[in-house]
Amino acid sequence: MKLQLTNGYRPRFDQISRILQYLLLQGDKKKISRLEIVTSLGIPENQVENLISMMTGFGLVHPRVTTLTPFGKAIIQADPYFDKEETLWIIHYIVSSNPEWVVWHRIINTVLPSQDHYSVEQISTQYFSDLAIHFSERTISEKLPKEVGSVFAAYSRSELSRLGILGVEGTGNFIKSNPIEIPNLAFLFCLLYYRDKYSPGSSAVNTEDVCLAENSPGRVINLPEYQVRTILGNLHNAGLVRLEQLANLDQVRLSDTLTQEDVLGRIYGGKNAN
């Protein structure tokens, strides 16, 4: 469990893009130090540290070695300015489905479904009192509100704001908004990510789990069950998954050959399932 993913800073996707480009140019290096990035790009060391932390949480780089993940490589090669909705939805799902990033995870999975209006002070006080046994009083009083504020800033003042999850309602106050619809292929990637993390090797996932289980795409993205089933139906019609509904069976069958990388190829290579 980590209290700080952002260290109180909102994501700077222009700088993230610069770092991704630099990492791409390093080829097959097994590890890239932060000092190399600082020296080569001229970004202040503390900013690089914060950005690398967020890039790890977003699934763009591997932890500790700071090399590109397949997702990070696909983005810098095909969507370096984070223009595609699919890119933003996948980032949102990856970081929000990981309980290790306790503040981000709890805001998306507990706070947002519970109320419609938010203030950083109220959220910091009401939803994180249990963390006092894990962190010092100073950390809770000083760093927790900054982390809460940076998560809200990410969805209101960075590229993630284009998802429409939050709106601003005065200084330090926010309101639940009406998100744009998640593209079918982005949902499929999230489904495979969920399967690979929680049931690796499984060829099928219970449909109700896809909709409602903890850290599932339906739950994290906060979609009503009918909308999840509509997306799955679209993917079934496109031949990318198979819905099996017989007697007591209600599941999504996934091909053994369908991988996250395949879906990234469809997203960034032009094939679609919409």
Side-chain angles (χ1 to χ4, degrees), residues 155-204:
Y155 289 102
S156 59
R157 295 172 52 206
S158 82
E159 277 74 358
L160 290 172
S161 67
R162 301 209 315 268
L163 298 179
I165 292 171
L166 281 176
V168 179
E169 194 178 46
T171 304
N173 295 293
F174 304 87
I175 185 171
K176 185 185 295 184
S177 189
N178 295 311
I180 61 173
E181 290 188 6
I182 181 170
N184 294 327
L185 286 174
F187 189 90
L188 178 58
F189 179 93
C190 297
L191 174 58
L192 291 170
Y193 187 93
Y194 171 73
R195 188 276 309 270
D196 293 345
K197 186 170 183 177
Y198 294 101
S199 302
S202 175
S203 61

Side-chain angles (χ1 to χ4, degrees), residues 187-188 191-192 195 202-211 228-229 231-233 235-236 240-245 249-255 258:
F187 189 90
L188 178 58
L191 174 58
L192 291 170
R195 188 276 309 270
S202 175
S203 61
V205 183
N206 183 280
T207 305
E208 185 172 317
D209 287 345
V210 178
C211 299
V228 174
R229 290 183 179 274
I231 294 172
L232 293 175
L235 294 170
H236 172 88
L240 294 171
V241 305
R242 188 167 79 247
L243 298 182
E244 298 178 338
Q245 297 172 313
L249 190 67
D250 184 11
Q251 64 183 17
V252 184
R253 177 73 60 181
L254 300 167
S255 169
L258 182 65

Side-chain angles (χ1 to χ4, degrees), residues 43 59 71 74 80 93 139 215 270:
I43 303 174
F71 179 43
Y93 176 73
T139 296
N215 301 319

Side-chain angles (χ1 to χ4, degrees), residues 25-270:
L25 295 175
Q26 304 314 299
D28 296 328
K29 287 182 68 172
K30 301 299 183 184
K31 183 175 182 178
I32 301 161
S33 71
R34 291 175 182 174
L35 181 59
E36 291 178 71
I37 298 171
V38 170
T39 303
S40 299
L41 299 182
I43 303 174
E45 185 174 0
N46 67 327
Q47 189 174 356
V48 168
E49 181 179 358
N50 296 333
L51 289 169
I52 293 297
S53 174
M54 285 184 266
M55 291 167 68
T56 302
F58 294 165
L60 304 176
V61 298
H62 294 290
R64 293 177 291 280
V65 295
T66 320
T67 55
L68 293 174
T69 63
F71 179 43
K73 187 174 183 179
I75 288 175
I76 196 56
Q77 290 180 325
D79 190 25
Y81 302 110
F82 297 86
D83 291 324
K84 293 182 73 68
E85 293 173 6
E86 289 90 344
T87 299
L88 299 176
W89 275 118
I90 291 171
I91 286 173
H92 168 66
Y93 176 73
I94 289 175
V95 68
S96 302
S97 64
N98 189 345
E100 181 179 4
W101 317 118
V102 60
V103 174
W104 200 302
H105 183 270
R106 194 170 297 185
I107 286 174
I108 297 300
N109 293 279
T110 302
V111 176
L112 295 193
S114 300
Q115 57 189 82
D116 295 331
H117 299 267
Y118 319 93
S119 74
V120 171
E121 181 180 2
Q122 178 252 326
I123 298 305
S124 302
T125 302
Q126 182 174 342
Y127 288 93
F128 296 95
S129 58
D130 60 299
L131 298 185
I133 63 173
H134 300 287
F135 302 99
S136 69
E137 182 178 347
R138 178 177 175 272
T139 296
I140 294 297
S141 63
E142 295 182 10
K143 296 183 178 180
L144 174 60
K146 291 181 180 179
E147 190 70 14
V148 171
S150 67
V151 175
F152 278 98
Y155 289 102
S156 59
R157 295 172 52 206
S158 82
E159 277 74 358
L160 290 172
S161 67
R162 301 209 315 268
L163 298 179
I165 292 171
L166 281 176
V168 179
E169 194 178 46
T171 304
N173 295 293
F174 304 87
I175 185 171
K176 185 185 295 184
S177 189
N178 295 311
I180 61 173
E181 290 188 6
I182 181 170
N184 294 327
L185 286 174
F187 189 90
L188 178 58
F189 179 93
C190 297
L191 174 58
L192 291 170
Y193 187 93
Y194 171 73
R195 188 276 309 270
D196 293 345
K197 186 170 183 177
Y198 294 101
S199 302
S202 175
S203 61
V205 183
N206 183 280
T207 305
E208 185 172 317
D209 287 345
V210 178
C211 299
L212 301 172
E214 187 174 7
N215 301 319
S216 69
R219 178 92 169 261
V220 172
I221 300 169
N222 197 26
L223 296 173
E225 184 172 342
Y226 81 86
Q227 193 170 347
V228 174
R229 290 183 179 274
T230 297
I231 294 172
L232 293 175
N234 293 338
L235 294 170
H236 172 88
N237 293 336
L240 294 171
V241 305
R242 188 167 79 247
L243 298 182
E244 298 178 338
Q245 297 172 313
L246 298 169
N248 294 325
L249 190 67
D250 184 11
Q251 64 183 17
V252 184
R253 177 73 60 181
L254 300 167
S255 169
D256 294 337
T257 61
L258 182 65
T259 66
Q260 295 177 38
E261 288 78 7
D262 292 332
V263 178
L264 292 176
R266 287 177 174 269
I267 291 172
Y268 299 111

